[in-house]
Amino acid sequence: MHNAPPFPQLIVAMNTLPPDLEKRLMELEIKAGLADDLLDQLNHTIFRQQRQIDLLGRELAELRKQSQESRQPQARSLTDDIPPHY
């Protein structure tokens, strides 16, 4: 089985394109490739930011829990109120 190009008509048509149209096509292919790269970078950035948001959310929940615990009245011993000179 030989490896025939998937779209032989397109290859033949590209070989017969006027030079200005071929240049425009190449520019569009370059722009599409750059757009793909940018999309990958943005996806990676969003992924990292979401991880950071999740971490900050967990830290905030822990701080809220600690804050609520520190506001609750704690049982005190009467000896806590005795001045140190006794």
Side-chain angles (χ1 to χ4, degrees):
M1 183 172 180
H2 67 0
N3 292 333
F7 303 103
Q9 304 87 348
L10 181 62
I11 293 172
V12 170
M14 284 183 61
N15 288 337
T16 60
L17 289 176
D20 61 326
L21 191 56
E22 187 173 345
K23 180 182 175 189
R24 288 177 52 201
L25 181 60
M26 289 292 267
E27 289 172 357
L28 288 173
E29 289 175 344
I30 291 170
K31 286 181 182 181
L34 293 173
D36 282 345
D37 291 344
L38 181 59
L39 182 61
D40 288 342
Q41 290 174 8
L42 290 172
N43 282 334
H44 184 68
T45 300
I46 290 169
F47 174 76
R48 283 182 310 149
Q49 287 178 344
Q50 186 60 51
R51 278 195 320 198
Q52 189 175 19
I53 289 169
D54 293 343
L55 174 65
L56 291 171
R58 289 190 299 271
E59 289 177 354
L60 179 60
E62 183 63 31
L63 288 172
R64 284 182 177 159
K65 180 180 171 187
Q66 289 174 5
S67 175
Q68 288 174 353
E69 289 172 356
S70 69
R71 286 186 200 155
Q72 295 175 352
Q74 298 175 355
R76 294 180 56 167
S77 169
L78 292 177
T79 58
D80 291 341
D81 294 333
I82 297 175
H85 61 276
Y86 283 110

